Amino acid sequence: MLAAGCGIRATEVVEAGEPALVQVAPAGQMGTVLYFVSSSTAARLMPVVRYAEPSGEDSGGSVSGSAGPPAGAARTLKLLFAGPSRAERDAGLRSELPDGRVELSVELSAQGVQVRMDARVTGMSEPARQQLICTAARARTADRSEAVTVTGSDGVIGPAHCSV
């Protein structure tokens, strides 16, 4: 009753921007960061941490160049193309990357990350491009500032930077 009598008028909801994102990883565990699209917010990328397997086996792909862990970037992109896990899908994440097996190679150089793949790339949606670019950049540096160039069977994307 007091609040109603003091002249405070009702207002509409005031948009203040997106919520803050914080990256958290348990101490002592190595993880790979993949980017998937949130189903709840149109075309918004969300980072997902996948923890390293103790066996250290590579799931395919090849990497050339001297920077970065051997086969780490190619392995990370293979995980990305495999799509979200069941738990990630249940949490509302999806992928806009093409379905199916994609052969790829990754070169890490002073010019950035060069990804070569046997799939069409120029027709990818912007969220799909950003999934690929952000994950590839993150495979190289923690701050996602690395330039990424993707060469596919139909052309080239980039060099581009992660927009997240």
Side-chain angles (χ1 to χ4, degrees):
M1 223 187 213
L2 282 175
C6 68
I8 298 174
R9 293 181 293 171
T11 63
E12 296 294 320
V13 174
V14 177
E15 294 292 330
E18 298 292 327
L21 293 177
V22 178
Q23 294 181 10
V24 179
Q29 286 190 319
M30 295 298 290
T32 298
V33 178
L34 308 174
Y35 287 85
F36 293 112
V37 180
S38 171
S39 295
S40 62
T41 306
R44 171 127 192 250
L45 291 187
M46 300 296 291
V48 172
V49 178
R50 296 261 183 97
Y51 294 101
E53 296 293 326
S55 68
E57 291 180 12
D58 183 30
S59 62
S62 64
V63 176
S64 59
S66 59
R75 182 182 169 283
T76 297
L77 291 178
K78 288 284 189 178
L79 289 172
L80 178 68
F81 275 95
S85 67
R86 177 176 296 225
E88 292 160 353
R89 285 190 308 272
D90 290 347
L93 299 177
R94 61 186 168 79
S95 178
E96 289 209 2
L97 292 168
D99 291 335
R101 294 191 58 91
V102 174
E103 290 299 319
L104 57 87
S105 66
V106 181
E107 181 180 338
L108 308 175
S109 69
Q111 290 75 39
V113 180
Q114 280 76 39
V115 178
R116 296 189 194 293
M117 45 193 282
D118 67 348
R120 300 176 59 85
V121 296
T122 59
M124 285 183 180
S125 68
E126 188 57 28
R129 289 178 184 214
Q130 284 298 309
Q131 275 186 267
L132 184 55
I133 290 165
C134 291
T135 302
R138 181 62 189 242
R140 172 78 184 258
T141 64
D143 64 5
R144 301 175 308 279
S145 65
E146 201 71 46
V148 177
T149 303
V150 181
T151 303
S153 61
D154 64 340
V156 177
I157 298 172
H161 295 274
C162 179
S163 66
V164 176

